[in-house]
Amino acid sequence: MIKLRMAIQKSGRLHDDSMKLLKECGIDINNGVNKLKTEASNFPLEVFFLRDDDIPQYVEDGVADIGIVGENVVLEKQRQVNEVEKLGFGKCRLSVAVSKGVSYQSSKDLSGLKIATSYPVIVKDFLKKNNIAADIHEISGSVEIAPGIGLSNAICDLVSSGSTLFMNGLKEVEVILKSEAVLISNQKLSLELEQLLQKLLFRIQAVKKAKNNKYILLNAPNNNLEAICKLLPGMKSPTVLPLADQGWSSVHSVVNENDFWDIIESLKENGAEGILVVPIEKMII
Ligand code: PRT
Ligand code: ZN
């Protein structure tokens, strides 16, 4: 039977979330951190564990059909692969930072500087687009120490909390790229593999939607029922059930995480009581 071959990071920041996503998609795999590959027991999927830097090339070459990797790596490696879906984890930004004491007004201030980075392709492109002449010094790790040891005047590196920059006396001055983990695929998948990818993608999207939404239950006074239902359109329309208490109804619906607090306030203003909010495991529209 044909199997979809997926490359994920062997160890590192994306490993656990990649494995968790597969689990949430109902795919059981043996945890093979120390192995090169493993198989799913209930989905036609083989998983290869690789260094993240190598994943775009393996997917381009067709050694793996699909892979999970940071967008930053996809853009840096410039391999011919399709970006299929953003996955909502591994979020970070690729930023330029300079020493805290240096005055910085605009990207023009980078002219003539030496920038240490592990992302020479992306940085070169940024400098070109902004018409800045600066030197790029490529290093593979510990980029944040470069200004401190006199190797460069600036750096361009991944940032998430900002504490690494802070601890090294650096300040973030330009965000070049916002990145997160993405699902990539080979550009010439056979029809069968494409169908398996679509099956997996359907599950991934259901998991993502569920994470962005909450199930809400509340008690509403019947005289304000219409206003409350308008606030909770849900997937089609809210479910309304009469309570044993006369004049009250129970309303069930789905709310988006982003609108959540605004909606709660309006619901309370309209007399809603006993509001319960529960996570959704899977959501298929
Ligand atoms: O061994 P392998 O080559 O597979 O792994 P790696 O060491 O190259 O990568 P890894 O595991 O560090 O990161 C994998 C991916 O996670 C990256 O390509 C990004 O897409 C994503 N990611 C998200 C991050 C960060 N956040 C991040 N904060 N990758 C690295 N960092 C590093 C950054 O380089 C800096 O050293 O964390 C430090 C900054 O973090 P803060 O929180 O102090 O700002
Ligand atoms: Zn790497």
Side-chain angles (χ1 to χ4, degrees):
M1 189 182 57
I2 191 151
K3 287 193 171 133
L4 196 59
R5 293 158 307 164
M6 174 187 241
I8 70 164
Q9 197 186 21
K10 182 175 165 68
S11 63
R13 288 169 196 266
L14 302 184
H15 174 83
D16 289 354
D17 283 332
S18 304
M19 296 295 278
K20 191 168 138 231
L21 177 66
L22 290 176
K23 196 167 177 220
E24 287 167 337
C25 289
I27 297 173
D28 293 331
I29 28 185
N30 311 323
N31 205 339
V33 183
N34 296 315
K35 285 194 268 168
L36 177 65
K37 62 176 185 175
T38 186
E39 278 183 22
S41 56
N42 57 355
F43 194 92
L45 183 79
E46 231 180 326
V47 181
F48 297 167
F49 299 106
L50 300 167
R51 282 203 56 193
D52 68 344
D53 314 70
D54 299 333
I55 291 176
Q57 184 173 357
Y58 278 107
V59 172
E60 182 189 74
D61 293 347
V63 175
D65 305 307
I66 57 173
I68 296 180
V69 69
E71 251 173 327
N72 50 303
V73 175
V74 179
L75 288 170
E76 181 65 26
K77 299 295 175 191
Q78 299 205 301
R79 296 287 171 179
Q80 299 298 306
V81 294
N82 291 343
E83 186 180 314
V84 182
E85 182 84 7
K86 291 188 197 294
L87 299 175
F89 60 84
K91 286 191 176 168
C92 57
R93 48 201 193 271
L94 184 67
S95 294
V96 178
V98 297
S99 292
K100 235 178 342 204
V102 173
S103 91
Y104 187 94
Q105 260 75 49
S106 74
S107 58
K108 296 276 166 284
D109 294 333
L110 296 173
S111 295
L113 298 190
K114 200 171 179 188
I115 307 171
T117 188
S118 313
Y119 292 87
V121 172
I122 299 176
V123 177
K124 196 171 161 200
D125 188 51
F126 168 79
L127 294 175
K128 199 172 158 202
K129 278 190 185 136
N130 288 279
N131 235 336
I132 301 161
D135 279 344
I136 298 172
H137 188 91
E138 185 179 351
I139 47 177
S140 58
S142 303
V143 176
E144 65 280 0
I145 64 167
I149 58 172
L151 191 66
S152 71
N153 325 90
I155 66 162
C156 182
D157 198 13
L158 297 175
V159 181
S160 44
S161 69
S163 66
T164 303
L165 294 183
F166 182 78
M167 283 190 303
N168 286 280
L170 301 169
K171 65 175 176 187
E172 191 176 359
V173 291
E174 297 284 342
V175 177
I176 295 191
L177 173 79
K178 288 204 169 132
S179 178
E180 64 185 86
V182 288
L183 183 70
I184 56 171
S185 78
N186 178 274
Q187 293 188 330
K188 296 189 201 93
L189 289 184
S190 68
L191 190 63
E192 279 162 305
L193 288 170
E194 184 61 39
Q195 282 167 348
L196 285 179
L197 170 58
Q198 289 309 318
K199 201 168 160 183
L200 176 65
L201 194 59
F202 177 76
R203 296 192 189 188
I204 290 175
Q205 287 167 346
V207 170
K208 271 179 64 185
K209 269 186 216 117
K211 278 190 188 150
N212 291 333
N213 289 281
K214 299 271 180 266
Y215 192 71
I216 183 166
L217 305 93
L218 57 86
N219 295 332
N222 285 348
N223 53 1
N224 266 351
L225 200 54
E226 208 177 320
I228 286 174
C229 287
K230 270 202 189 122
L231 290 166
L232 297 169
M235 287 202 275
K236 225 180 198 110
S237 67
T239 307
V240 179
L241 304 162
L243 284 191
D245 251 11
Q246 286 251 322
W248 286 82
S249 299
S250 170
V251 179
H252 300 198
S253 192
V254 169
V255 283
N256 190 283
E257 184 124 76
N258 299 326
D259 313 327
F260 180 69
W261 289 108
D262 287 342
I263 290 181
I264 296 287
E265 271 171 33
S266 313
L267 288 172
K268 283 179 73 182
E269 281 162 17
N270 281 287
E273 285 180 9
I275 304 172
L276 298 179
V277 177
V278 273
I280 299 169
E281 196 175 308
K282 309 276 188 300
M283 187 163 155
I284 294 136
I285 301 180

